[in-house]
Amino acid sequence: EVHLAESGGGSVSTGGSLTLSCVVNGLTDNFNTLGWVRQLPGREREDLAVAGYYTGSEYTYYDDSVKGRFTISFEKAWNTLTLQMNGLTPADEGMYFCAAGAWGRFNSWGQGTRVTVSP
């Protein structure tokens, strides 16, 4: 069973930066997709940043709302997935979840970490 534990959420001012981390344990060959999912207040969860690790290739996907501002990375040696977030605005405020799955679809999520951005 995969286990994901996020950290790094908090409060920043507009234009600030935060780095979210997620320790991922229990990954097996059945998992080849990792990512971050965001849930804004009153909204459904949305895929924010996705990284696929397939034999011989890798890909990343970013939602248009964060493209150019957020960067996803995975340090395999530490089983740690990271989301570097720059240029934060109040529109980014919400709950952020680390997620794992296969072929672009998530089936496991962490408990989430909250991001608050003040004007």
Side-chain angles (χ1 to χ4, degrees), residues 10-75:
S11 299
V12 295
S13 300
T14 296
S17 299
L18 280 175
T19 302
L20 304 184
S21 295
C22 175
V23 177
V24 187
N25 289 311
L27 284 177
T28 67
D29 291 341
N30 294 327
F31 292 90
N32 58 23
T33 303
L34 297 171
W36 292 91
V37 175
R38 179 172 68 185
Q39 186 166 23
L40 303 179
R43 302 278 297 273
E44 297 289 325
R45 290 186 185 183
E46 57 183 351
D47 292 350
L48 203 58
V50 180
Y53 301 94
Y54 309 138
T55 302
S57 68
E58 298 180 6
Y59 86 92
T60 54
Y61 157 85
Y62 294 97
D63 185 81
D64 284 344
S65 64
V66 304
K67 200 173 294 183
R69 299 188 298 125
F70 291 11
T71 303
I72 187 173
S73 60
F74 181 58
E75 180 55 60

